[in-house]
């Protein structure tokens, strides 16, 4: 997926590039059994890595954080260094559909808000071989919370090019990949506002001053405002759900 450079100008300075929050990362991590002291963890589509640093504070092992946008990895490396976590995080610039790792080596694969790039079932199938037998996979992705979502909302997602499944449909996709579903958790509303939409909307206001007269940039900025408004209007119909799975 290739995105316009201006897209990155909006997101590079933000704490996150997708919905999520430290509280949710910690809660979902607490649903896993204890990991080995030397656990190997893979964070796919890490962005500038707020969840990577949150995980690093929770584990004793090493986290390999993958993204295909080097500036995000540079920010993650700098923030990890500031937090004294540089020895626990290694960044790798690679595509999530061609991961450069040996099979069967990770105890945990984690991915927040990024699996939509390859598609839910496809992502699970692509990443499962990299897990050890008995290893865990945690992903968050968009999901319908109702069986009959409003047409306007369905159309908004269709225009974005990614239509979520209901949580039931996503469970069926998990079953098809041979992973065992252990738990699910819906990202709370705070995970959309505090570290995602609030800083994103502030950045949009800032960039309107410098780029608002360029129609391409203005349209992209409008789409971010629309995204936040769509979430606010339909927050009981859709959201993000974490799926905790195990490779049998
Ligand atoms: C919506 S962001 C989520 C980032 C982060 N996990 C978070 O929750 O803040 C998706 C991330 O996937 C990365 N990405 C996009 N296409 C990718 C690909 N083919 N391979 C690896 N990373 C990719 C983007 O650069 C971006 O950092």
């Amino acid at each position: 997926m290739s995105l316009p450079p201006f897209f990155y100008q909006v997101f590079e300075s933000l704490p996150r590039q997708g919905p999520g929050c430290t509280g949710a990362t910690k809660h979902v991590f607490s649903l896993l059994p204890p990991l080995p002291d030397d656990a190997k963890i893979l964070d796919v589509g890490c962005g500038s890595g707020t969840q990577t640093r949150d995980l690093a504070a929770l584990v004793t092992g090493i986290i390999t954080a993958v993204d295909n946008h080097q500036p995000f990895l540079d920010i993650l490396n700098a923030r990890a260094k500031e937090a004294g976590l540089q020895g626990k995080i290694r960044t790798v610039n690679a595509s999530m559909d061609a991961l450069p790792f040996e099979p069967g080596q990770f105890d945990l694969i984690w991915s927040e808000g990024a699996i939509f790039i390859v598609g839910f079932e496809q992502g699970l199938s692509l990443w499962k071989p990299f897990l050890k037998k008995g290893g865990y996979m945690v992903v968050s992705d968009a999901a319908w919370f109702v069986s009959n979502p409003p047409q306007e909302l369905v159309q908004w997602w269709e225009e974005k090019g990614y239509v979520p499944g209901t949580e039931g449909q996503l469970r069926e996709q998990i079953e098809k990949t041979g992973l065992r579903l252990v738990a699910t958790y819906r990202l709370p509303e705070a995970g959309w506002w505090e570290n995602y939409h609030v800083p994103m909307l502030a950045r949009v206001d800032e960039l309107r001053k410098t780029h608002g007269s360029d129609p391409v940039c203005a349209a992209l900025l409008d789409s971010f405002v629309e995204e936040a408004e769509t979430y606010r209007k339909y927050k009981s119909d859709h959201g993000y759900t974490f799926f905790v799975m195990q490779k049998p």
Side-chain angles (χ1 to χ4, degrees), residues 8 16-19 45-47 51 66-69 72 94-96 112-114 116-117:
Y8 290 110
R16 303 191 66 104
Q17 289 72 44
C46 61
Q51 77 290 321
V66 171
D67 205 279
N68 67 351
H69 184 61
F72 286 151
S95 186
M96 63 174 77
E112 292 196 29
F116 74 92
I117 290 155

Side-chain angles (χ1 to χ4, degrees), residues 29-87:
F29 185 82
S30 77
L31 302 174
L32 297 169
L35 295 178
D37 286 347
D38 62 350
K40 289 175 83 180
I41 297 138
L42 177 66
D43 183 1
V44 186
C46 61
S48 59
T50 290
Q51 77 290 321
T52 321
R53 286 176 294 120
D54 291 340
L55 286 172
L58 295 167
V59 301
T60 48
I62 301 284
I63 304 178
T64 303
V66 171
D67 205 279
N68 67 351
H69 184 61
Q70 187 59 42
F72 286 151
L73 299 177
D74 294 342
I75 295 167
L76 169 53
N77 284 326
R79 290 183 181 157
K81 198 168 170 196
E82 269 166 34
L85 294 168
Q86 70 272 31

Side-chain angles (χ1 to χ4, degrees), residues 131-169:
L131 277 179
K132 289 179 183 167
K133 190 172 159 49
Y136 287 84
M137 174 125 64
V138 172
V139 304
S140 68
D141 197 15
W144 298 130
F145 293 165
V146 290
S147 54
N148 199 6
Q151 194 47 41
E152 188 193 17
L153 180 61
V154 175
Q155 203 177 325
W156 181 82
W157 275 101
E158 279 171 357
E159 282 163 14
K160 297 273 152 219
Y162 188 74
V163 181
T166 60
E167 288 166 329
Q169 287 164 337

